[in-house]
Amino acid sequence: MIHIGFEIKSELERQERSVSWFARKLCCERTNVYSIFKRKSIDTDMLTRISRILQRNFFELYDDEVDKQQK
């Protein structure tokens, strides 16, 4: 099972970006970013915005998960 918040946080750290930077890009408060990190699921519109900001297609994680479950 994918924990999308963990994946987003990991990507942010991999890119060496700060929570403040990410919050500015998302047009939200830092506390909202920490809330995102705790989420096991996320709205697709929000995930699209996050994918654009971090230049990573997080939807691929779900494709991979579906492929694994079908085997």
Side-chain angles (χ1 to χ4, degrees):
M1 185 76 179
I2 296 167
H3 188 294
I4 194 63
F6 175 81
E7 297 294 336
I8 293 166
K9 182 180 180 194
S10 295
E11 181 64 21
L12 192 66
E13 290 171 351
R14 188 189 71 74
Q15 292 185 20
E16 298 180 349
R17 303 283 191 172
S18 70
V19 171
S20 296
W21 173 87
F22 192 48
R24 280 192 308 276
K25 294 291 185 178
L26 275 176
C27 299
C28 70
E29 299 292 325
R30 289 175 59 231
T31 54
N32 293 352
V33 172
Y34 289 111
S35 173
I36 290 169
F37 293 160
K38 294 178 185 177
R39 295 182 190 175
K40 291 182 181 180
S41 64
I42 193 166
D43 177 78
T44 55
D45 289 336
M46 176 65 79
L47 191 57
T48 300
R49 289 177 56 208
I50 291 169
S51 293
R52 285 187 190 131
I53 291 166
L54 295 178
Q55 298 178 352
R56 176 180 174 192
N57 184 358
F58 286 98
F59 291 96
E60 288 178 346
L61 297 171
Y62 293 100
D63 282 343
D64 294 344
E65 186 71 18
V66 169
D67 288 345
K68 287 178 191 174
Q69 290 177 1
Q70 291 177 346
K71 292 181 182 181

